[in-house]
């Protein structure tokens, strides 16, 4: 089973510590089994976490047996990073272990030198300080997370949820990630990049005026829906509809529709044996070429490569307990902030 080790130091941010603990602990695979084993590791058996103290059951030695290591944020950026942690992280990186940070946990990862020459992020309030201390890192304060493959960093607070769900999605596919998102009561899509990791169209806020229209659009993705047709269905002018769409969904009717069609296609590619041509028609793309262009734009790979990677990962795990890797040639992802 994939083991996630979460490092808890004195001064750990409790919210950041709880995010990977709860997300990965509740992941369930299609056959019902757990997706991850979670261990909270500390330098000492008990650590200070602000208003309370946390007891840890594992030491830093557990990092040597982890598949993924998480570094939650720390409250005091002036506190020295324990040499034992730096040594353990560098050794883990040398073994190919995946290492991710949440919020100011990026300062711990940066102290190892592993992020030098790479793009990274942290809480926007700490981004300038991270860049000052580590000029070799390309600090981007405007994104929710940065995925460099083996090394990942996220912005503060809820961005840690985005990163965790992204990793679940990378490991086990969209269907498992969607279930994890529902358990976390997390919106399945946040404004910005990386929407390819969401399989279901998020409903509008309860009681929002566009809610009935959005559900109707979901049910009629196969039809050639124009702005004029949508305005007529909503009983409002095209201009008014576009304004309400922007206010309530953060995007335009056309972009929302394209995202919805691609997400539906992802789900069908993962869960059915229908041909790519049949799926393109079923989700409302007028031609296979148009479907491939939009799929490539949103998912950064082709429909066939996506199916090979994620349908295979859902049907069965390898002997080593890992799911299929990301599609060959797919670029490393960065989730843009809203």
């Amino acid at each position: 089973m994939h083991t996630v080790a979460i490092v808890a130091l004195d001064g750990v941010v409790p919210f950041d510590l709880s995010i990977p603990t709860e997300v990965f602990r509740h992941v369930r695979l299609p056959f019902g089994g757990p997706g991850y084993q979670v261990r909270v590791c500390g330098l000492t058996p008990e650590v200070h976490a602000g208003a309370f103290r946390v007891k840890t059951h594992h030491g830093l030695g557990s990092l040597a047996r982890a598949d993924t290591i998480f570094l939650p944020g720390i409250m005091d950026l002036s506190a020295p990073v324990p040499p034992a942690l730096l040594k353990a992280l560098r050794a883990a990186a040398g073994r190919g272990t995946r290492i991710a940070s949440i919020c100011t946990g990026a300062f711990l990862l940066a102290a190892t030198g592993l992020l030098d020459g790479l793009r990274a992020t942290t809480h926007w309030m700490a981004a300038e300080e991270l860049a000052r201390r580590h000029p070799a890192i390309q600090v981007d304060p405007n994104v929710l997370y940065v995925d460099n493959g083996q090394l990942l960093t996220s912005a503060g607070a809820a961005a840690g949820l985005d990163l965790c769900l992204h990793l679940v999605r990378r490991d086990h596919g969209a269907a498992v990630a969607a279930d994890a998102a529902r358990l976390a009561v997390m919106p399945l899509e946040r404004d910005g990049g990386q929407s390819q990791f969401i399989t279901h169209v998020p409903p509008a806020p309860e009681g929002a005026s566009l809610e009935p229209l959005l559900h109707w659009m979901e049910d009629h993705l196969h039809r050639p829906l124009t702005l004029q047709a949508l305005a007529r269905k909503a009983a409002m002018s095209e201009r008014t509809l576009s304004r309400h769409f922007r206010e309530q969904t953060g995007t335009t009717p056309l972009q929302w529709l394209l995202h919805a069609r691609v997400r539906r296609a992802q789900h069908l590619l993962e869960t059915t044996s229908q041909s790519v041509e049949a799926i393109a028609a079923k989700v409302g793309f007028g031609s296979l070429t148009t479907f491939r262009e939009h799929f490539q734009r949103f998912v950064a790979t082709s429909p066939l490569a996506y199916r090979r990677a994620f349908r295979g990962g859902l049907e069965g795990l390898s002997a080593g307990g890992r799911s299929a890797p990301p599609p060959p040639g797919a670029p490393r992802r960065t989730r843009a902030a809203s």
Side-chain angles (χ1 to χ4, degrees):
M1 188 187 303
H2 189 114
T3 299
V4 176
I6 305 164
V7 178
L9 299 179
D10 266 327
V12 66
V13 176
F15 184 61
D16 295 352
L17 176 63
S18 69
I19 289 172
T21 303
E22 289 302 291
V23 170
F24 292 109
R25 192 167 67 89
H26 291 292
V27 169
R28 289 295 178 270
L29 301 181
F31 56 82
Y36 302 90
Q37 180 180 58
V38 177
R39 293 176 175 171
V40 177
C41 310
L43 278 169
T44 57
E46 189 173 282
V47 298
H48 177 65
F52 52 87
R53 302 186 72 83
V54 175
K55 290 187 176 181
T56 61
H57 298 294
H58 303 277
L60 292 186
S62 292
L63 301 188
R65 298 180 293 277
D67 299 289
T68 297
I69 296 172
F70 259 88
L71 301 171
I74 51 175
M75 301 179 197
D76 183 5
L77 298 183
S78 65
V81 182
L85 176 61
L86 296 177
K87 181 180 179 180
L89 291 175
R90 290 174 182 138
R95 292 189 299 271
T97 303
R98 186 169 64 188
I99 306 176
S101 67
I102 296 177
C103 194
T104 52
F107 284 78
L108 303 176
L109 186 52
T112 65
L114 296 171
L115 288 176
D116 288 357
L118 299 177
R119 195 175 178 214
T121 193
T122 185
H123 195 291
W124 62 269
M125 292 182 68
E128 186 175 343
E129 178 63 14
L130 181 64
R132 186 189 68 79
R133 292 191 192 182
H134 303 279
I137 300 174
Q138 303 168 38
V139 180
D140 188 343
N142 300 312
V143 297
L144 291 177
Y145 59 78
V146 176
D147 181 349
N148 288 299
Q150 184 185 2
L151 305 174
L152 304 94
T153 55
S154 86
L161 279 166
D162 292 281
L163 176 58
C164 289
L165 293 173
H166 166 65
L167 288 179
V168 175
R169 174 70 174 76
R170 214 175 86 172
D171 292 341
H172 299 299
V176 173
D179 286 341
R182 281 189 288 271
L183 285 173
V185 197
M186 178 74 180
L188 293 180
E189 178 175 345
R190 292 178 66 177
D191 217 10
Q194 294 303 296
S195 59
Q196 64 266 28
F197 289 98
I198 296 100
T199 53
H200 304 297
V201 179
E206 191 69 28
S209 62
L210 288 181
E211 184 178 5
L213 177 64
L214 297 182
H215 286 301
W216 181 85
M217 290 171 68
E218 280 192 79
D219 293 336
H220 296 83
L221 292 177
H222 60 285
R223 294 175 53 175
L225 302 178
T226 64
L227 180 60
Q228 183 181 26
L230 295 176
R232 185 165 56 249
K233 179 68 180 178
M236 60 181 70
S237 70
E238 295 177 23
R239 183 175 179 178
T240 300
L241 174 63
S242 296
R243 177 167 55 83
H244 283 313
F245 237 92
R246 177 66 68 178
E247 291 172 351
Q248 295 181 30
T249 70
T251 189
T252 66
L254 176 60
Q255 288 302 308
W256 193 97
L257 187 60
L258 290 174
H259 274 80
R261 284 173 168 160
V262 169
R263 284 190 297 269
R264 180 69 57 80
Q266 286 179 275
H267 179 70
L268 293 174
L269 287 167
E270 290 186 14
T271 60
T272 76
S273 299
Q274 296 177 47
S275 68
V276 172
E277 291 82 356
I279 290 174
K282 199 164 190 175
V283 300
F285 285 103
S287 72
L288 185 58
T289 299
T290 301
F291 171 53
R292 285 174 173 155
E293 287 176 353
H294 286 297
F295 198 91
Q296 181 73 38
R297 174 188 166 198
F298 289 121
V299 190
T301 189
S302 70
L304 283 177
Y306 182 90
R307 168 171 271 171
R308 282 196 299 269
F310 291 114
R311 190 161 187 260
L314 288 172
E315 287 179 338
L317 298 177
S318 66
R322 296 175 185 269
S323 60
R332 293 168 179 171
R333 276 92 169 174
T334 301
R335 178 72 181 264
S338 54

